[in-house]
Amino acid sequence: EDFPESWETGFMPVFSVEQMVSNLTQSNVHVVDSRPAPRYNSKEEPTWPDPVAGHYPGALNWPVPSNLTEDKLLRPEPELRALAEAALCAKSSANDTVFHCGSGV
């Protein structure tokens, strides 16, 4: 299936593959993969629309499910801040963060 060159996005910018690759080489940008660790680490088979297992080289992993409690509620702010610090510490000098989930949603 062909994807459009750009998407209507509201408040969030959309990056092309070329822009994502460029972001990975910049020390001032975090690229965060928000998929579960087994998908990030190529331990689980990808599903559409992820044609290849794994992640962008240099991308950090911060799975969305880790932001939720056992009751599927959003964790309190102090816990979320601690998760963010743990997930993003590898590039503490970054000014911008790009999140992706593999599906473009």
Side-chain angles (χ1 to χ4, degrees):
E1 179 176 330
D2 288 17
F3 292 96
E5 289 294 316
S6 64
W7 300 79
E8 292 295 323
T9 61
F11 298 107
M12 296 178 66
V14 174
F15 294 94
S16 68
V17 171
E18 293 79 17
Q19 288 171 309
M20 288 297 290
V21 170
S22 175
N23 286 334
L24 289 166
T25 63
Q26 297 179 38
S27 63
N28 65 332
V29 177
H30 290 295
V31 175
V32 179
D33 187 321
S34 59
R35 297 173 302 157
R39 300 270 308 279
Y40 172 85
N41 292 317
S42 303
K43 302 292 184 196
E44 186 176 290
E45 284 296 316
T47 58
W48 185 92
D50 296 335
V52 179
H55 58 274
Y56 286 104
L60 307 170
N61 187 222
W62 181 2
V64 167
S66 67
N67 297 325
L68 305 176
T69 65
E70 289 180 15
D71 297 326
K72 306 295 184 216
L73 300 173
L74 192 61
R75 293 185 183 280
E77 182 182 347
E79 291 181 31
L80 291 171
R81 284 187 182 277
L83 286 170
E85 288 174 9
L88 305 178
C89 69
K91 284 188 164 180
S92 60
S93 64
N95 297 324
D96 295 313
T97 304
V98 177
F99 287 86
H100 83 91
C101 63
S103 67
V105 176

